[in-house]
Amino acid sequence: MSRAEPGCCEFLIGQKQENCGFDVEHMMASEVSVGANRHEWISIGAIVLVAINLRPGIVSIGPILPAIQAEFGMSHATASLLTAIPDLLMGLLALPTPWLARRFGRNRVLTGALVGLFISTVARGLVPGIGTLLVATAGVGAGIAISGALFAGLIKERFPTKAALLMGIYATSLSFGGAISAATTGVIASVSPWGWRAGAGIWGILTLVGIYGCRVVERSDLSTSARFVPGAGETRLPFGNLKAWAIALFLACVNFLFYAFVSWIAPMDHELGFSTSKAGFVLASFMIAFTCANPVVGWLSKGHDRRRWLLICSALVVGGSAGIRFAPNSAPVLWVALAAMGLGGSFTLGMTLPLDNTDSPEEANAWNAFAILIAYLIAAAGPISVGIMRDLTGGFGLSMACLLVIAVAMMGLSPFLAPRPKS
């Protein structure tokens, strides 16, 4: 018995040690899980804070465009450059941005782009002439382009199983910033003694929020894991892949229509006899509907194959575009809301397609850069073509008919956007 008792004690002590070891391991795993969740929420917060800054510099021009044209004597074709230049740069800068991120770190590049966006936005409200206005607009476009090109890899890296949801949050944040600027820029311009200059320049203040978001990420020590891995990030662009081309062309249709509508809905309604505030309200309705569709469609599209939702969204765009073309005075808010809901859902899903067809963050970055390059180079023609046709015909009828054709083409591409089969 004397020997058995120590044996029992040793057994109990061993069990206690094993239990303690299990508890320690469990506690450590819990702490790691909590830390990971905290980092995920910080990443989501940073995405939101940055993304809300990436549309006011473009959308805010629509409500004040007639005033800008009146001050500088700009034609519709020249005025369209205020939207087309950012679109063009979003395409052109999609290629060097991954290299910049690999070279200097994603967070540094993002912060620098937002600082440039802040300076250019404020400067646009102070410019003395057309030339400097276009230069400042190029600075706005560069800041938006570089910032926006960094998100696909981040989402693929940190949220590989929630791509559609996170793209929905990103797109919603983009649209939220655009909706705020669409709804308030005209009001700001009308009540300010500086007129349109206040409406154009005030959005630089919002950019400070995005810069703060970058600082939060830096302090949370996420910037190291968020950088591109040298060498591994140099995946070739998929120029020879037909699926990549289909995705890029679909996104080109979406952005072609979005920026054409954003640029010219308010001026078109103004020519139809709407007051500046009412025309701004119609544009704000467009942005609000676009914003609401982003997370809803992203949440509804839970399956791996998103073609059904792409087709539904495309059909909404066709219906809304037809209403804008053939009955612009009958129910303007309804038509723009239909088109916007379709475009909002299509944008969220379209930005998810590169992630659905790739297997790594590096490949996702390559496909995203390719899609952005093609999409925005084509989309830049949207505002310009509408402006040129308005100058040539004296009205918006022909240009709206052309936008309807683009919407039909967008619907035709939807069945070809199947995801890559899961391995």
Side-chain angles (χ1 to χ4, degrees), residues 249 253-254 256-257 261 314 317-322 325-326 389 397-413:
L249 291 175
C253 292
V254 173
F256 189 104
L257 292 168
F261 283 136
S314 299
V317 179
V318 170
S321 300
R325 168 60 184 88
F326 296 110
M389 282 186 278
L398 178 61
S399 57
M400 292 301 113
C402 290
L403 296 184
L404 177 58
V405 172
I406 298 294
V408 173
M410 175 180 157
M411 181 184 289
L413 285 167

Side-chain angles (χ1 to χ4, degrees), residues 44-105:
I44 293 172
I47 288 172
V48 171
L49 291 178
V50 173
I52 59 175
N53 291 277
L54 303 185
R55 288 300 176 266
I58 301 173
V59 176
S60 63
I61 292 298
I64 57 178
L65 191 56
I68 296 174
Q69 288 180 271
E71 178 167 335
F72 295 126
M74 301 170 68
S75 67
H76 289 79
T78 303
S80 68
L81 294 176
L82 298 179
T83 304
I85 288 174
D87 287 350
L88 188 64
L89 289 173
M90 278 191 275
L92 293 176
L93 294 179
L95 296 182
T97 296
W99 177 85
L100 289 172
R102 289 194 299 270
R103 176 67 177 81
F104 300 105

